[in-house]
Amino acid sequence: MKYIIDNINNYNENDLKNIYQKINKKKQEKINKYANDIDKKRSIIGEYLLMELLKNENIDYNKLEFIYNENGKPYTNEIYFNISHKDEYVTACISNKEIGIDIETIKDINMNTLNMFASNNEKKQIKNNIDFYILYTLKEAYIKMKGLSLSNIKNIEFDITNLSCSDNNVDIKVIKENDYIISIIEKK
């Protein structure tokens, strides 16, 4: 498992134009559909971070064929990857095993949201907003690793104290970066 985190404000318009030119044509088309410029910027930086991770593994981004599952998760036949972004941060990860990553801003807890994704056992573990976002990002990263839709979010249960889950076939990593929580789930 390898991952990278960066701030979109580290890139100027010229950087973005240069990176955009290197992005796979299908992904350029997807980026072009975004109405919001900040979403375009996050997507461009996400692709750049993926390119950098792949380059470090001697994999040529432009030679990869990106395939999408029924829920829109992109994958390749050579390596597993995932990208996430929130506010000004973008993060990407790669692995030779299935992998998912999620990043969220630590802010006030929304109890309605907690009720939508957490089991009763998980709710008992939430003592503060950091616990909330650890659980939330773990669930999101797991769903992304599996390529499932959000309707499956309650089908997996986590113990945030021991960083374990009901699927014993995964490794878990949680990172606190400034006011953000990043969770990575990788198949064993």
Side-chain angles (χ1 to χ4, degrees), residues 11-185:
Y11 302 86
N12 62 40
E13 287 302 314
N14 199 37
D15 295 332
L16 293 171
K17 286 178 188 175
N18 289 333
I19 296 166
Y20 179 83
Q21 296 304 315
K22 298 174 185 176
I23 294 175
N24 170 292
K25 296 298 177 201
K26 283 185 182 177
K27 291 195 173 197
Q28 282 182 354
E29 290 171 11
K30 185 177 178 184
I31 290 168
N32 292 339
K33 291 179 183 176
Y34 290 125
N36 186 327
D37 285 343
I38 196 79
D39 289 334
K40 289 179 183 180
K41 190 173 186 178
R42 288 180 189 131
S43 294
I44 291 168
I45 300 306
E47 290 302 311
Y48 175 69
L49 297 180
L50 176 59
M51 288 177 204
E52 289 298 302
L53 287 167
L54 293 170
K55 184 169 66 175
N56 291 337
E57 298 299 311
N58 296 314
I59 299 172
D60 186 346
Y61 169 90
N62 290 307
K63 292 186 178 172
L64 291 176
E65 180 184 350
F66 292 94
I67 307 160
Y68 296 83
N69 77 4
E70 64 276 4
N71 293 314
K73 179 183 177 173
Y75 64 96
T76 75
N77 290 327
E78 285 191 49
I79 196 158
Y80 294 95
F81 71 94
N82 203 229
I83 300 169
S84 185
H85 54 77
K86 185 68 175 185
D87 303 328
E88 71 268 13
Y89 281 94
V90 179
T91 185
C93 60
I94 62 170
S95 175
N96 59 350
K97 304 170 200 164
E98 288 181 275
I99 194 162
I101 192 166
D102 191 51
I103 181 171
E104 289 292 333
T105 310
I106 301 168
K107 53 189 175 196
D108 291 337
I109 298 171
N110 180 332
M111 291 309 287
N112 289 333
T113 303
L114 180 65
N115 290 330
M116 289 178 2
F117 75 85
S119 70
N120 288 333
N121 287 337
E122 291 170 327
K123 289 176 195 175
K124 292 174 189 173
Q125 299 173 56
I126 305 302
K127 307 288 186 240
N128 55 49
N129 55 353
I130 293 174
D131 291 346
F132 175 91
Y133 284 102
I134 288 172
L135 179 61
Y136 187 82
T137 57
L138 285 170
K139 291 228 175 201
E140 285 271 348
Y142 185 87
I143 293 297
K144 291 171 76 177
M145 177 196 71
K146 290 291 194 178
L148 302 171
S149 69
L150 284 176
S151 63
N152 299 97
I153 203 161
K154 279 194 168 182
N155 295 347
I156 187 73
E157 189 167 301
F158 287 90
D159 177 339
I160 63 170
T161 306
N162 299 312
L163 287 183
S164 62
C165 81
S166 54
D167 179 347
N168 294 323
N169 197 29
V170 296
D171 289 318
I172 298 170
K173 183 170 186 72
V174 175
I175 305 149
K176 184 175 180 304
E177 177 81 16
N178 299 321
D179 291 330
Y180 294 84
I181 295 290
I182 301 160
S183 289
I184 305 170
I185 305 280

